[in-house]
Amino acid sequence: MLLIVDILSGQSIITGQFTRPFGESSVAAQGETILTGLLDVDDTLRRILAGIIPLPAEDVPLAEALDRVLAEDVVAELALPPFANSSMDGFAVRAADVAGASQENPVQLTVSMDISAGAAPEGHLHPGEAARIMTGAPLPPGADAVVPVEATDVRWDAGHEDQPPARVGILRAVNPGDYVRPVGEDIQVGQLVIRAGDILRPQEIGVLASLGRVTVPVIRRPRVAILSSGDELVEIDEPLTPGKIRNSNSYVLAGLVTINGGVPIRIPTARDTLDDVRRCFREALAHHPDMIVSSAGVSVGAHDVVRTVLDELGEVKLWRLNLRPGKPLAYGRLQGIPFFGLPGNPVSAQVTFDVVVRRALLKMGGRPDIVPMAEAVLAEDIPADGRLTYFRVKLERGPDGQLIAHTTGTQSSGAMLSMVLADGLLIVPAGRREARTGERFPVRLLREL
Ligand code: AMP
Ligand code: MG
């Protein structure tokens, strides 16, 4: 379970593992939608997500487990530290022996042992004895406290002295347990230390290493085949001849897949012919992906042969979402594999991915859906068309600390630089014809402020 704060209402809402902090069409009252025949984004998402199943676990070497999603609870089968040890360089003592020790009246003890880190003390510490001990070294049986070297009349440079002194004068009393890290101080046997579903950060990796986990069960990363089609597209290393543009969507989508925990598989661009589109989809399926994402060819253009191929390979519905930029979205299954057909326009593809595909990918990969959100005041009037709209905005801090949003200029769904310039996507709910200067809206942040 995750606790998130609804940035619209400011209220805490507890939701399931997959949260949707957007609040989107919940903002628009029923019947407010102006364009007819468009599907509500939240409803569509709910339907899609209901059919997405988290992937099974796989074991990976610990060194490769960073940023993966833990598939099983980790319960400590050993205590950390596994043995009582010294937290200082100094002398292990019996606290009772040095109860009266002070600067003026040092207690003299016989140094009977020398315990370095990594050593296993063999003898027992008897009354009147001290053991020279290094940080992290095990406390010998019989000792119950450590006196730091600074509180003795002995000096050594970081333990580099070969031989311990025969005697040590203790200048300060200590209590039992002082400067001792007891068994299990950090982690106890049987303790639940990391939960299934947690993302493994360096600190979790450290705990797993300490527990001796050589491999870790993690949710398999979704493998996502990425297709693009269009006679106008050339690969990035090909010359731009008249009428051509480079296939950028493949790269953007691969990046979006990666940052959302998936593994992208880019399929070379398809021409707008039945044979070539068919060949590309077959190639995608041959990779046995967990998801297939294509861009372009889902609108009703003259050369959209994608539809035909989709019908051959599975069952795909073409939806018109109440979303801008976006709108056309194909969703279904190709030989059982979830398929998303995104619009070709670069910004539409990115926004539709963010709003829809990302959620499915996160659910499949077992990742919590948390996006950085803020709230901003509009610095200009912007026209809306009734669809749920994501405006690309730059944000600045006003004198009172609140965020002020300016659009990045053109909101053309082909303007890729507008996504580069944008600090976030300002979300105007469905049903609005205009967003006015001074109004507050949620912003899906695209970079840290
Ligand atoms: P379509 O969905 O095929 O009608 O394409 C809509 C627009 O997106 C057109 O201007 C295409 O040139 C452009 N487009 C389609 N696919 C890509 C792509 N892979 N990379 C960049 N632009 C694309
Ligand atoms: Mg096209």
Side-chain angles (χ1 to χ4, degrees):
M1 295 289 271
L2 287 160
L3 179 69
I4 59 160
V5 176
D6 183 334
I7 45 91
L8 292 175
S9 64
Q11 286 174 336
S12 294
I13 42 174
I14 295 174
T15 60
Q17 192 182 359
F18 305 104
T19 61
R20 285 193 284 105
F22 277 70
E24 285 154 355
S25 60
S26 52
V27 181
Q30 204 71 36
E32 255 188 330
T33 304
I34 291 162
L35 299 180
T36 52
L38 297 182
L39 293 174
D40 177 77
V41 172
D42 273 355
D43 284 350
T44 309
L45 259 169
R46 245 190 302 282
R47 279 160 66 185
I48 291 173
L49 291 181
I52 301 287
I53 301 161
L55 293 177
E58 63 180 358
D59 284 324
V60 297
L62 182 62
E64 291 162 27
L66 187 67
D67 194 38
R68 300 296 298 270
V69 181
L70 188 66
E72 291 165 22
D73 286 349
V74 170
V75 174
E77 67 284 353
L78 55 88
L80 289 181
F83 49 87
N85 66 90
S86 177
S87 69
M88 296 287 280
D89 289 341
F91 289 86
V93 299
R94 294 164 162 269
D97 280 358
V98 301
S102 68
Q103 200 79 34
E104 301 74 36
N105 290 304
V107 171
Q108 295 295 323
L109 298 173
T110 304
V111 179
S112 61
M113 273 183 268
D114 187 24
I115 310 164
S116 50
E122 278 156 22
H124 196 94
L125 196 81
H126 302 102
E129 292 179 351
R132 186 167 77 154
I133 193 163
M134 301 303 161
T135 303
L139 216 66
D144 60 7
V146 170
V147 178
V149 67
E150 295 79 8
T152 72
D153 60 5
V154 173
R155 291 288 166 266
W156 73 73
D157 289 341
H160 290 314
E161 205 172 74
D162 284 349
Q163 287 300 314
R167 297 187 64 74
V168 59
I170 305 296
L171 309 178
R172 194 198 328 148
V174 286
N175 294 311
D178 281 358
Y179 304 105
V180 176
R181 299 188 282 223
V183 175
E185 180 187 53
D186 185 5
I187 292 171
Q188 302 202 337
V189 177
Q191 188 177 340
L192 171 62
V193 285
I194 315 174
R195 285 173 198 280
D198 285 356
I199 306 237
L200 299 175
R201 303 169 298 167
Q203 48 269 56
E204 280 82 20
I205 299 286
V207 167
L208 292 166
S210 293
L211 294 175
R213 299 294 177 100
V214 176
T215 61
V216 191
V218 293
I219 305 288
R220 196 158 64 65
R221 281 190 198 278
R223 299 172 68 247
V224 183
I226 296 167
L227 291 103
S228 304
S229 62
D231 282 340
E232 75 280 30
L233 302 177
V234 297
E235 297 296 347
I236 56 169
D237 56 354
E238 287 175 353
L240 272 189
T241 49
K244 305 291 184 188
I245 58 167
R246 295 203 169 91
N247 176 356
S248 57
N249 284 356
S250 268
Y251 289 87
V252 178
L253 294 173
L256 289 169
V257 165
T258 303
I259 63 173
N260 288 291
V263 179
I265 306 161
R266 276 188 305 104
I267 308 294
T269 315
R271 304 280 130 247
D272 279 326
T273 65
L274 203 51
D275 280 352
D276 209 34
V277 171
R278 195 181 279 134
R279 182 189 58 74
C280 278
F281 273 87
R282 293 241 166 90
E283 186 178 335
L285 286 163
H287 284 276
H288 300 291
D290 301 300
M291 185 186 282
I292 301 173
V293 178
S294 79
S295 69
V298 293
S299 52
V300 210
H303 297 287
D304 289 350
V305 291
V306 175
R307 241 332 326 157
T308 313
V309 176
L310 294 178
D311 289 340
E312 287 172 7
L313 295 174
E315 216 184 312
V316 173
K317 286 202 168 65
L318 181 56
W319 287 336
R320 292 169 71 236
L321 291 183
N322 193 15
L323 175 67
R324 192 168 74 128
K327 195 154 80 179
L329 172 76
Y331 178 70
R333 297 211 173 229
L334 301 180
Q335 296 184 357
I337 298 161
F339 165 79
F340 292 90
L342 305 182
N345 274 314
V347 179
S348 306
Q350 289 176 53
V351 169
T352 316
F353 186 100
D354 194 65
V355 174
V356 182
V357 185
R358 188 180 61 83
R359 314 268 176 100
L361 190 55
L362 292 176
K363 180 170 183 187
M364 203 175 249
R367 289 176 187 268
D369 175 12
I370 298 169
V371 286
M373 297 290 294
E375 203 183 38
V377 175
L378 253 185
E380 60 200 88
D381 291 346
I382 40 181
D385 72 352
R387 282 185 279 172
L388 164 67
T389 303
Y390 285 68
F391 285 101
R392 285 144 265 167
V393 293
K394 291 225 43 96
L395 297 171
E396 61 172 8
R397 285 257 174 234
D400 51 359
Q402 67 182 347
L403 288 171
I404 298 170
H406 303 263
T407 67
T408 54
T410 173
Q411 296 289 316
S412 154
S413 53
M416 282 189 277
L417 200 56
S418 65
M419 282 298 279
V420 172
L421 294 174
D423 295 317
L425 299 169
L426 181 134
I427 305 168
V428 175
R432 298 287 303 260
R433 277 301 188 186
E434 191 185 40
R436 289 183 181 281
T437 308
E439 277 192 274
R440 299 174 77 84
F441 290 99
V443 179
R444 187 264 196 262
L445 296 176
L446 295 175
R447 61 162 63 98
E448 281 180 35
L449 294 176

